[in-house]
Amino acid sequence: MSSIRTVAVCGAGGTMGTGIAIVAARAGFRTISYDVAEAPLDRAARQTAGFLGKSVERGKMTAQERDHILGAMERTTDLEGLAEADLVIEAVFEDLAVKKALMARLDGVCSGSAIFGSNTSTLSITEIAAGSKRPDRVVGMHFCLPAQLMKLIEMSPGLLTSDETFRAAWAWTEACGQIPVRTQDKPGFILNALLVPFNNDAIRAVEAGVADAADVDRAIKAALGYKMGPLELIDLIGLDTQVRLCEAFYPVTLDPRAATPPLLRRMVAAGLLGRKSGRGFFTYDGNAMFGA
């Protein structure tokens, strides 16, 4: 654990990457946010400032603490800027080829002692690690959305992940105040193995006319005590992201409940992506980060 001083987040312009960067910087680590363009990093910076500003307003931190966190955060669109990272956490698209290609590129940038964490929610850690020449240094680290508020991290070793790597990554999550749980390298780990089919069931209930989206969510929250309904959650993560989760999860499980619901595909085709587009199953004003 003591060897981790600098943390990099790849795909830091996305909602998940933004939250992971907040977690790292809030815990006192030098944090480098990487994305392929300035625009998503600009958006992430605005969301981060807004979230931390609200935390100050609500008395959860002081203005000095906020400024210290922001001062620990850097940004770059040049992968070479991650050369000093001791831990790199990828939060890029849920696409095996994309993640493997990133691992190969990181091999050429980062030191041999660096740990590569993957925030994948459905894909095999072992297969992602195959993109690297040092699969023993790759470990699954699945944060829950929104990462800056949710404590759980699913920690999954691949077949070749070393015990040293796993212990160091686990200790880092605890140093960040998170709650790690060990899972096997299996499709969906714990949460998405249960959540992807469940969310799809909620979509199919709307599609079948059982109830509208608001009433489906109201029923789930009232009966099960959830703080957020499944359709609100899909709007938060993005309907396009839910499609990618289905497309990654269904082929390796052949669970019909994990197959993409037709309504979901139609909504994505229409540009109804959830909060990030202003409309999904519900309509939104503004683009504030969840919890801000």
Side-chain angles (χ1 to χ4, degrees):
M1 167 53 210
S2 60
S3 63
I4 298 178
R5 293 287 183 269
T6 299
V7 179
V9 181
C10 294
T15 300
M16 182 61 82
T18 300
I20 294 172
I22 291 173
V23 169
R26 189 170 56 194
F29 294 91
R30 176 192 176 199
T31 304
I32 306 171
S33 294
Y34 166 80
D35 217 307
V36 295
E38 288 288 350
L41 291 175
D42 286 341
R43 181 176 61 248
R46 291 193 299 271
Q47 292 177 334
T48 298
F51 174 79
L52 296 176
K54 286 292 186 182
S55 296
V56 173
E57 289 178 15
R58 295 172 179 173
K60 296 180 179 179
M61 67 175 60
T62 66
Q64 184 177 13
E65 289 170 331
R66 174 201 60 198
D67 294 344
H68 183 75
I69 294 169
L70 291 172
M73 304 182 83
E74 306 170 23
R75 53 189 281 182
T76 183
T77 57
D78 181 1
L79 201 67
E80 296 290 334
L82 310 188
E84 297 180 0
D86 305 305
L87 169 64
V88 181
I89 302 172
E90 68 82 8
V92 301
F93 288 125
E94 196 72 347
D95 181 288
L96 181 59
V98 171
K99 291 180 184 290
K100 288 178 68 174
L102 176 60
M103 291 292 161
R105 292 182 65 198
L106 289 171
D107 274 349
V109 170
C110 300
S111 72
S113 63
I115 294 172
F116 299 156
S118 174
N119 184 59
T120 183
S121 54
T122 58
L123 300 174
S124 166
I125 301 303
T126 302
E127 290 187 71
I128 292 171
S132 171
K133 294 180 181 178
R134 35 178 141 158
D136 60 308
R137 305 295 293 174
V138 181
V139 60
M141 303 175 68
H142 177 226
F143 290 70
C144 298
L145 189 72
Q148 72 278 13
L149 293 178
M150 302 295 287
K151 293 294 187 182
L152 180 66
I153 301 181
E154 293 180 308
M155 299 290 296
S156 308
L159 286 178
L160 299 179
T161 303
S162 71
D163 290 341
E164 176 191 10
T165 294
F166 190 80
R167 285 195 301 267
W170 182 284
W172 179 83
T173 68
E174 292 183 319
C176 289
Q178 303 298 108
I179 300 173
V181 297
R182 182 176 181 127
T183 75
Q184 297 300 311
D185 184 16
K186 294 185 177 181
F189 311 119
I190 299 171
L191 295 183
N192 278 295
L194 301 171
L195 192 60
V196 171
F198 177 71
N199 286 348
N200 283 345
D201 288 345
I203 296 171
R204 291 190 177 97
V206 173
E207 187 168 25
V210 173
D212 64 19
D215 282 334
V216 168
D217 275 7
R218 188 175 297 113
I220 295 298
K221 289 188 287 186
L224 301 183
Y226 291 5
K227 292 183 178 180
M228 180 178 290
L231 300 169
E232 290 177 284
L233 178 60
I234 294 168
D235 273 1
L236 176 62
I237 67 173
L239 276 71
D240 52 338
T241 300
Q242 180 71 12
V243 169
R244 285 195 293 270
L245 289 171
C246 293
E247 290 178 342
F249 196 33
Y250 175 69
V252 294
T253 64
L254 298 181
D255 179 356
R257 294 175 61 224
T260 309
L263 174 60
L264 182 63
R265 287 199 184 278
R266 293 199 301 273
M267 292 178 71
V268 170
L272 306 179
L273 306 182
R275 283 181 175 267
K276 59 187 170 185
S277 69
R279 182 181 170 194
F281 288 98
F282 304 97
T283 301
Y284 304 89
D285 293 322
N287 190 34
M289 169 170 275
F290 182 82

